[in-house]
Every structure is written in structure tokens, then in C-alpha cells.
Amino acid sequence: MTVSAHNIVKHFGAFTALNDVSLEAQPGEFLALLGPSGSGKTTLLRIMAGLEFPDSGSIRFDGVDVSTRPTRERAVGFVFQHYALFRHMTVAENVGFGLTVKPRNERPTPARISARVDELLSLVQLGHLGDRYPSQLSGGQRQRVALARALAVNPNILLLDEPFGALDAKVRKDLRRWLREVHQTMKLTSVFVTHDQEEALDLADRVVVMNHGVIEQIDTPDAVYNRPASAFVCDFLGNANKLDCTIANGAVEIGGHRIENTAPPASDGLGVAFIRPHEFDVAAAGQPGVPVTLRRLTRTGPMAALDCLTETGALIEMTTIEPPTGLLPGAALTLVPRRVRAYSA
Amino acid sequence: MVERSIMPGFGLTMGFTVFYLSVIVLIPLSAVFIKSAGMGFEAFAEVALSKRALYAYRLSFGAAAIAATINAVFGLIVAWVLVRYEFPGKRLVNALVDLPFALPTAVAGIALTALYAPNGWIGSLLAPYGIKVAFQPLGVVVALTFIGLPFVVRTVEPVLADLGPEVEEAAASLGAGRWQTFARVIWPAILPALATGFALAFARAVGEYGSVIFIAGNMPYKSEIAPLLIVMQLEQYNVPGATAIAVTMLLASFAMLFAINLLQGWSRRRMAA
């Protein structure tokens, strides 16, 4: 099912949570809403689910406006960060809940409900835990129960609000891989909210980067990382050194030193340049590039990390596989950026 | 061998706990039993199971049960409002709930009597319809409802707060209507706490004296509560007689406490998070 948001505006008192937001998720697509806290990503998800209502704008499922429909009539599967399982019900009762509350004439027979529950529990690899209570499960298991519960009613779309937010790093990674497999077998249009860029880039078909209630960029993980549309996206995704620069005649100058081979998309004037740590070459002092003083060199496995100070005192962190030998703190170097992304300030 | 523990002071604090509980709780309660044991079963039954006493028990336990039921219903609503909504004056309402705890019960009794007496503000409104509250068993129910309210509100409130709006949203997203959400999700979750609150309010109401004696009218066989009978026995210097009634009530209270503990254990096992 295609899910689309059209010109959504939402205020909480004086705070603008969403300011004219539009997007579309294609059938079977896995979309990530990525942004810092307060960027409006959870609000947008909750508006899609019908748990919040927009001040203006509309939500459409396959082109049909569902904006005024309450949650229970939208057939969305919603997975909460803190699971929101029913604690007094067993795992199997939790999963079957959505089927048992259907109107009497649509409700499957108890035998069919139980068969469906078994099927879902084996999908989430918890087939043997059906008669446990949620309190007897680990966090990762609880979240899988929550997912099975959401899938039981054959939802039109699956919405996940920071689904791995409450889990520790190891479980998070396993569950992420597993969720991608589940999504691939189900082909269900899914939207998930996260503030973890790694999660978004790893899982999603397309990433929606949000900030201050607006969408900064919607693109594939590769595109948002390598071709960020704005300074915010560039800064938010991955580590990048942020340096003041001037843009003149289509070239970037950092501290008065012209950087060759860059094609800034910005117009002339003051700007900010973003250079990722691995996108520098190290050269001897006096070469064209950014002159720096080495402050610290650390080796972590195959990589060496260099902390350098520019002439203006800005810190540059860079990594390289083969640093020049015999470098000591205080040494003068030149850093030659291979790739610069510059935006007007 | 003495087990080494990182927590210091076990011997001292445990000794104090046993001593304290003995002096404050155990010895006075045993004294009641010992006093009444000395009088023989015949004499015990004559006082404790007299017709007048039986009427008093019926009123004490019956009115307490009705009051606790009323509190269970309305206390739940109050707790719901306090947990789920933000509104101006919420802190004031929150403080008001505790007032029956803090207010000297005699003050409550006098205030309620003044209100519900046939010439009082509320009593005069009800009088034309032939409803009499003060100096009737109904007055006892009113007073016991007043003093029992905080027990229900304060036991249900944390459970409701802990339940959070998320499970309701989850139920709604799974297609449950409001009534189904309440009946299937909220009610089972708060039932143990509500039962505990009910039992506490009931236990408190059974033993209540101060607020009731003013409004009850204290007519034998009609609006006389069991604690009053104890006081009357004492006023006649019939200490064994007083303890006979006291023992009967004490056993009933023990039964209540036991039931409360069973309930709490049951809810803890099911809801342990």
C-alpha cells in the first residue's frame, strides 16, 4: 500500500512540531524517519497511525484520505519503543489480541486465531514461549512479541517508533538484521523512526532526514550519505570536520588556502565546509592544502587517527591507513582534502 | 558460621524491629486475647454474640462494605482524572484527596452531621423527598465513604500511572474499541490494585469510630456501630465485655489483612515487570 503525507502541519502550543511536511512511501518500501530529538519524526509517525491528528494537511492510504479516521479503523501495525505489551496476558494472548477484538461477524474462530498466533510466533522465533508472560521475557523477545502482535491483524502498513531504542547494542544489531529479513518476506510498507543514523542507513530503502519539523532530504542511504542536500544532513550523518570557509569563483578557500578539485554547489560568500575524517591526504608542510600542526596521533588497529589544529585553531580529526613515519606532536603538516562539501553559511 | 554481609547493622536493626513491633502491636493485641480468655465461653458469647452486638457487627461490616464499594467506583474515577489529565487546580484536587487522612475524624463527623442533619444544607434538600441521612444507617455509610476515599485513590493511582497511555494506544491500533480497551486491557491491569484499595478502605471503615458516632445517632439495633459498643462496655467498667467484642472484631480484621496479602501476592506474581 502507498502511504503519503500531504502538507502536514502540527503545533503543540507555541511549538511547531511539523511545518508543511509531505512524503510518500511506495508499496513494500522500508522508510526511515531520521532526525535529532524534537525534529518531529515521532509526531509524523503518530499522525500516520492516527494517534495524533494534524492541524492541517492529510494522510492518504493508496490515495484515500484517512486523516479523520481513528487509529482502530486505519489497520496500521504500530510498534512502540517500550513494547506496550499487555502485562496481564500471556505472549499468545498478546499476539492474538487484535483478532479477538474484531467484530463478532469478522472474528476468526478460536482455532484459527490460535493457528495464526502459532504461525506468527514461529515467524518471530518465539514459538516455544506462547504461554509465558511478558515480564518473563528479555527486551529483545518482548519487542518481537510486539511486532508479532502488530502483524497479526494483517495491517496495511507497519509503523515502528524507535523499535530498538530500549535495547542494548548487541541485541539491537541482531534484531535489526532479523527485522530486515521479516520485511523482505512480508513486503509490507513500513516506516520506522530512529535517531540512530547507522540503523537508518543499514535498514531503510530510503531515508527521510528531518530537522525542526521540516524534511531536509529524502533519498537512498547512499545518496543522503554521499550527496547530502544541506549542511544539516551532512553534519548529522557520519562524522565530518566542520570548517569555516569562503567560496569565491566556484572554489573553496579554508583559512585563505584555496582547495583544488572541489565543485561547491553554493554561491560565493561565506560558507561551511564539511570534510569527513577519511577524506584527507597527509602531505609535507608547504604543499598546497590546509596547513596544520599535529596535536595527537593514535593508532587503533589498522587506522591511525590524527588530531590536528589549523592556523586559526580549529580542530581537524582525520584518519589514515599509512601515516608518515616518525610523526611527533607539534609537527607541521599539510592536509589535502580529497573531497569537500561546502554550503553557504 | 555467620554469613558475611555487606549491609551492616542487621543485628541491631532486627532487634529493634522485633522489640518495636512487640511493644506497639503484638503485646497489646495479645492482652486483648488474654483478657477475654479469662471470662469463659459462656460470658464471652453473651456479650460478643448478643443480639445487640450482632446488629452492630452487621451495620459496621455492611456499611463498610457499601462505603468501600462506593469508593472503589468513584475513587477509580478520581484516580483516573488525576493520572490522565492536566488541568488547572490539579495539585489542589490532589491535596483534597488526602484530607480524609489528615483531618481529625471527629471534625469530619461534626461537619458531615451538620451538612446532612434534617436542617443542614444537604439534609434540608433531601428531607422533602423523605430521605434521611443523619442519625440513620445511611449516615454511617456517608461517614465511612468519606474516610475511605484516599485508600482507593492512592492504591490505584500508581498502577494507572504505570500503565501509561501506550497500552491504550496499542489496543486502539489493534482495532479495539474504547469499551474493549477498558474491559480487556485496563480493567484486568488495575483490578488487583482496586481490590487492595477496596480491602484497605473496608478495613479502615470497619474500625472507624470518630467520624461515625456523631452522624450515626447511635440507636441500638439500628444505627449503632461495633466500636461504639466497645466504648460503652468500657464506660461501664466491663473490661472483659469490651475485649470480647474487640476480639471478635480483631479476628475479622485479621481475616481482612490476610485476604489483602493474598491479593497483593497474586497481583505481584502476575504483574511483576
Side-chain angles (χ1 to χ4, degrees):
Chain A
M1 177 168 284
T2 308
V3 180
S4 54
H6 302 265
N7 310 99
I8 300 286
V9 176
K10 176 73 180 177
H11 297 274
F12 292 110
F15 176 72
T16 306
L18 293 170
N19 191 3
D20 197 22
V21 167
S22 302
L23 63 81
E24 186 172 273
Q26 300 300 326
E29 191 176 28
F30 206 165
L31 209 62
L33 303 182
L34 175 67
S37 15
S39 59
K41 55 193 192 303
T42 294
T43 306
L44 181 58
L45 191 81
R46 289 173 60 85
I47 286 174
M48 288 181 181
L51 296 172
E52 304 272 359
F53 291 91
D55 298 340
S56 66
S58 63
I59 298 291
R60 291 179 205 163
F61 289 1
D62 272 347
V64 180
D65 191 338
V66 296
S67 305
T68 55
R69 266 192 226 169
T71 307
R72 66 172 179 278
E73 290 165 22
R74 286 196 197 186
V76 295
F78 201 98
V79 175
F80 295 83
Q81 180 177 1
H82 298 288
Y83 330 125
L85 294 177
F86 308 130
R87 285 184 284 180
H88 59 283
M89 295 183 199
T90 63
V91 166
E93 285 166 348
N94 264 284
V95 174
F97 180 84
L99 299 171
T100 59
V101 295
K102 279 182 184 293
R104 210 168 285 276
N105 52 353
E106 295 172 27
R107 197 182 302 164
T109 60
R112 296 196 56 175
I113 290 178
S114 141
R116 176 87 177 125
V117 168
D118 287 343
E119 181 191 324
L120 283 159
L121 283 179
S122 63
L123 174 76
V124 300
Q125 297 158 3
L126 292 173
H128 53 300
L129 296 178
D131 47 9
R132 297 272 186 94
Y133 283 94
S135 59
Q136 297 166 306
L137 304 183
S138 70
Q141 290 172 327
R142 287 184 208 186
Q143 197 56 295
R144 282 188 275 162
V145 173
L147 185 72
R149 182 179 68 176
L151 294 174
V153 289
N154 287 318
N156 293 322
I157 54 167
L158 184 63
L159 304 172
L160 307 106
D161 184 10
E162 304 246 6
F164 314 122
L167 304 170
D168 59 58
K170 172 83 175 73
V171 178
R172 187 185 284 228
K173 209 155 194 171
D174 291 346
L175 211 54
R176 196 200 291 168
R177 185 174 309 127
W178 170 84
L179 180 63
R180 193 169 40 206
E181 282 163 20
V182 169
H183 178 259
Q184 267 160 10
T185 47
M186 309 262 315
K187 289 284 169 223
L188 188 62
T189 311
S190 307
V191 182
F192 80 105
V193 158
T194 182
H195 62 260
D196 181 342
Q197 42 161 311
E198 195 189 322
E199 208 166 278
L201 297 178
D202 182 27
L203 266 182
D205 297 322
R206 283 192 303 155
V207 178
V208 180
V209 185
M210 297 185 66
N211 187 34
H212 292 310
V214 295
I215 292 177
E216 296 271 345
Q217 188 173 6
I218 306 181
D219 235 321
T220 61
D222 182 57
V224 288
Y225 188 79
N226 287 316
R227 294 186 297 281
S230 67
F232 171 80
V233 177
C234 195
D235 198 17
F236 190 71
L237 284 171
N239 287 325
N241 293 291
K242 190 175 174 183
L243 298 170
D244 291 330
C245 68
T246 45
I247 299 160
N249 304 322
V252 175
E253 284 181 9
I254 297 172
H257 301 275
R258 188 180 165 88
I259 310 297
E260 303 293 341
N261 304 326
T262 58
S267 51
D268 285 5
L270 288 176
V272 257
F274 292 91
I275 309 160
R276 301 207 191 275
H278 60 276
E279 291 175 336
F280 286 103
D281 287 325
V282 185
Q287 300 282 332
V290 185
V292 294
T293 316
L294 179 67
R295 208 175 63 168
R296 198 172 124 89
L297 186 151
T298 41
R299 275 204 164 275
T300 50
M303 302 297 282
L306 279 67
D307 288 1
C308 305
L309 288 178
T310 66
E311 288 167 339
T312 55
L315 177 70
I316 296 181
E317 294 174 344
M318 63 91 59
T319 55
T320 178
I321 292 184
E322 287 177 5
T325 46
L327 275 185
L328 288 174
L333 294 169
T334 302
L335 295 184
V336 185
R338 286 193 301 273
R339 185 166 186 186
V340 178
R341 294 177 190 85
Y343 302 88
S344 292
Chain B
M1 190 187 135
V2 180
E3 215 173 301
R4 289 174 63 94
S5 165
I6 195 75
M7 296 291 292
F10 172 75
L12 185 66
T13 49
M14 185 63 194
F16 175 77
T17 304
V18 171
F19 171 76
Y20 185 81
L21 283 178
S22 303
V23 170
I24 298 290
V25 182
L26 228 47
I27 294 176
L29 291 190
S30 349
V32 172
F33 276 95
I34 293 162
K35 274 274 180 197
S36 64
M39 65 196 292
F41 182 74
E42 295 268 309
F44 179 92
E46 196 184 317
V47 183
L49 302 176
S50 68
K51 201 176 169 210
R52 189 170 173 186
L54 289 177
Y55 268 97
Y57 299 142
R58 197 180 73 171
L59 177 65
S60 271
F61 286 96
I66 295 170
T69 307
I70 295 171
N71 276 327
V73 176
F74 293 96
L76 174 61
I77 297 174
V78 172
W80 182 272
V81 168
L82 285 176
V83 170
R84 281 296 146 86
Y85 306 105
E86 290 301 323
F87 52 91
K90 177 170 170 172
R91 289 156 69 103
L92 185 72
V93 174
N94 207 1
L96 276 180
V97 170
D98 283 331
L99 210 55
F101 270 148
L103 205 64
T105 50
V107 176
I110 291 166
L112 288 172
T113 310
L115 271 180
Y116 285 98
N119 56 355
W121 285 351
I122 300 178
S124 61
L125 294 176
L126 295 174
Y129 305 100
I131 304 171
K132 285 185 221 153
V133 180
F135 318 124
Q136 301 287 328
L138 188 56
V140 178
V141 172
V142 170
L144 296 184
T145 306
F146 174 83
I147 53 120
L149 178 71
F151 291 92
V152 174
V153 177
R154 294 298 179 224
T155 41
V156 174
E157 212 180 341
V159 178
L160 264 182
D162 187 42
L163 197 59
E166 274 196 353
V167 291
E168 287 172 53
E169 291 175 348
S173 76
L174 292 166
R178 304 241 168 189
W179 171 247
Q180 284 172 318
T181 303
F182 180 78
R184 299 273 313 271
V185 174
I186 299 168
W187 178 251
I190 59 172
L191 186 60
L194 191 64
T196 305
F198 173 87
L200 285 173
F202 180 77
R204 172 82 169 84
V206 166
E208 176 59 15
Y209 177 76
S211 62
V212 182
I213 46 161
F214 294 99
I215 202 170
N218 306 328
M219 282 171 282
Y221 304 106
K222 191 175 172 207
S223 62
E224 193 176 52
I225 56 168
L228 180 67
L229 276 189
I230 299 176
V231 174
M232 284 167 55
Q233 297 288 345
L234 285 176
E235 280 170 350
Q236 293 159 20
Y237 301 103
N238 183 5
V239 176
T243 55
I245 300 172
V247 161
T248 314
M249 296 205 66
L250 192 61
L251 289 176
S253 297
F254 267 136
M256 290 294 310
L257 263 182
F258 190 64
I260 292 172
N261 275 328
L262 280 184
L263 264 175
Q264 283 171 336
W266 171 69
S267 71
R268 209 174 298 128
R269 268 196 308 281
R270 291 203 66 180
M271 304 287 289

